[in-house]
Amino acid sequence: QVQLVESGGGLVQAGDSLRLSCVVSGRTFSGYSMGWFRQAPGKEREFVAAIRWSGGTTDYADSVKGRFTISRDNAKNTVYLQLNSLKPEETAVYYCTARVVGGTYRYWGQGTRVTVSS
């Protein structure tokens, strides 16, 4: 059993920053990857960033490279997504997710809403 709870979303202006948090409860594995996806209204859910729970290897969507940073605090069972220089088109619900490395993202949080105004 794995439960993910996101927080940290809110309303910001273009160019501002937010830090999203995802607290992982229950069963966890060192072989898991943690990820962030986002879904804007009327659009498909898209990959944003991922990090290996063990080792810290990261991956980012091209659209967010250089602006977003994914990190984790193993002691707190928490994954973070630092969102810098936010753009209005990045308004979306951001979801935390987890998967066994090489598998599918099977665990999902309820999402936290990020709204970026012009």
Side-chain angles (χ1 to χ4, degrees):
Q1 181 181 359
V2 175
Q3 291 182 308
L4 310 174
V5 180
E6 304 98 329
S7 63
L11 174 63
V12 298
Q13 295 181 346
D16 284 353
S17 299
L18 282 174
R19 190 181 73 161
L20 308 182
S21 299
C22 174
V23 178
V24 184
S25 301
R27 189 179 183 184
T28 59
F29 302 90
S30 62
Y32 270 40
S33 288
M34 306 298 300
W36 288 93
F37 282 67
R38 65 188 178 190
Q39 187 167 23
K43 295 186 177 181
E44 296 183 1
R45 191 172 297 186
E46 66 175 347
F47 169 80
V48 176
I51 187 169
R52 288 282 302 272
W53 194 264
S54 178
T57 302
T58 59
D59 189 27
Y60 296 93
D62 289 342
S63 61
V64 307
K65 287 181 179 177
R67 296 187 298 114
F68 291 8
T69 303
I70 188 170
S71 61
R72 85 262 192 264
D73 186 334
N74 294 50
K76 295 182 178 180
N77 287 338
T78 302
V79 178
Y80 304 97
L81 184 67
Q82 179 68 39
L83 315 173
N84 292 333
S85 301
L86 281 162
K87 305 174 181 179
E89 58 265 35
E90 293 175 318
T91 293
V93 176
Y94 285 70
Y95 296 92
C96 183
T97 185
R99 67 181 177 107
V100 176
V101 174
T104 60
Y105 286 103
R106 65 177 65 183
Y107 303 106
W108 296 86
Q110 294 300 304
T112 185
R113 188 179 303 275
V114 173
T115 303
V116 186
S117 67
S118 301

